[in-house]
Amino acid sequence: MSTRILKISLLLIIAFNLSCNTNEAKLEQFKYADQKETITCNTGYDAILKEALYTFESDIINKYDPKQKNKLRAYRAYISNYISNRTALQETVSPHTKAVFDVLKSKKTLWNGKQLNYSSPEVTCIIDNLNDKNLKQTIQSLLSVNSMSSDLFAAPLRSSTAYSRDAYLATFVALDLYYSKLHDIDFSKVDLTANTPKPEPIDFNKTPAKTPLKVKEPINNNIDHTGHNHN
């Protein structure tokens, strides 16, 4: 290969890489950077996947259990509503979710059209690291016959709570049952600010509990010396 052709080839490769990079969205704010780490798949954007998981959990807690903030209860409610086709995502997605989704959407290998790309390196890593052997085997069996879908995957989740202990499974749930479905939302018609978690109201009429003061015992200087010999 001549030097001229080699230079042209290198320039084309650089231009292609730059083009790919400029097409990828960037997340301006990481709200959960200080939270416990989730998955390690060396995707180049594991931090985004971590942010995506915590954002998903925040959304479903805000939607399904805003008072008690029980994560497991929120998961169960979301999965049940997903199976029944009653998730009402327009009433669940927050502005931060949209920002995270824009970044995920720009990761072309992650998607097969509007569906999660189950054969992508990112998703393959997540599946390979699932702790629940039964769910892992179910997914791999469905993949082996080219029948994997989010609807088939959701059904066995109804009788499982493994996602509460396994960050890989929780991430898979978030990607497959939540973010992939955001492709169908017309965000121009959704008021995302209405779904922002509200701060707990302060009840100014509630009297704070008072800690009883410890009364210091007075020193008794009038000691009875009767019966003592002071000679």
Side-chain angles (χ1 to χ4, degrees):
M1 181 182 292
S2 67
T3 303
R4 178 180 174 80
I5 295 176
L6 180 60
K7 288 182 178 179
I8 292 174
S9 298
L10 289 174
L11 288 173
L12 288 174
I13 292 172
I14 292 171
F16 176 77
N17 288 332
L18 288 175
S19 175
C20 291
N21 290 336
T22 55
N23 288 333
E24 291 189 351
K26 304 296 181 183
L27 188 62
E28 295 183 0
Q29 179 190 20
F30 284 82
K31 294 176 62 175
Y32 304 100
D34 61 339
Q35 296 297 312
K36 182 180 178 182
E37 296 303 316
T38 54
I39 69 168
T40 303
C41 283
N42 300 317
T43 62
Y45 58 95
D46 283 3
I48 296 293
L49 293 173
K50 170 186 172 180
E51 190 76 10
L53 173 57
Y54 282 111
T55 302
F56 162 65
E57 292 180 342
S58 174
D59 283 355
I60 62 174
I61 288 171
N62 182 51
K63 171 69 175 177
Y64 297 105
D65 197 17
K67 292 185 178 180
Q68 299 299 323
K69 299 189 183 303
N70 185 298
K71 185 172 72 172
L72 181 58
R73 187 179 296 128
Y75 263 99
R76 283 175 167 168
Y78 181 77
I79 291 168
S80 177
N81 278 276
Y82 180 89
I83 293 172
S84 304
N85 196 27
R86 293 185 290 108
T87 52
L89 294 180
Q90 293 87 341
E91 301 172 8
T92 309
V93 180
S94 65
H96 188 62
T97 314
K98 172 63 166 54
V100 172
F101 174 61
D102 285 340
V103 178
L104 292 175
K105 189 168 58 173
S106 72
K107 308 298 182 182
K108 301 304 181 183
T109 60
L110 190 60
W111 309 104
N112 183 10
K114 294 182 179 181
Q115 306 300 318
L116 190 65
N117 182 5
Y118 302 115
S119 61
S120 68
E122 303 93 317
V123 179
T124 299
C125 170
I126 292 172
I127 294 172
D128 287 345
N129 284 281
L130 296 180
N131 290 329
D132 190 301
K133 294 182 179 179
N134 291 330
L135 284 174
K136 182 177 180 179
Q137 185 175 10
T138 297
I139 295 173
Q140 290 175 334
S141 297
L142 290 170
L143 287 172
S144 67
V145 295
N146 199 30
S147 298
M148 178 62 187
S149 71
S150 55
D151 291 340
L152 290 175
F153 166 65
L157 287 175
R158 177 171 272 171
S159 58
S160 173
T161 59
Y163 42 74
S164 64
R165 303 179 298 275
D166 184 358
Y168 286 89
L169 179 58
T171 301
F172 190 85
V173 170
L175 291 174
D176 200 31
L177 304 189
Y178 192 58
Y179 288 102
S180 68
K181 306 309 171 186
L182 301 188
H183 285 94
D184 295 322
I185 293 181
D186 183 354
F187 285 98
S188 66
K189 298 180 180 179
V190 181
D191 180 13
L192 298 177
T193 59
N195 304 328
T196 303
K198 305 296 187 299
E200 291 294 327
I202 299 175
D203 186 355
F204 291 100
N205 295 317
K206 185 177 180 179
T207 304
K210 294 182 178 180
T211 303
L213 297 176
K214 291 184 178 181
V215 179
K216 188 176 181 180
E217 294 291 335
I219 298 175
N220 185 6
N221 292 321
N222 299 319
I223 301 175
D224 186 1
H225 296 278
T226 306
H228 292 272
N229 185 1
H230 295 281
N231 293 332

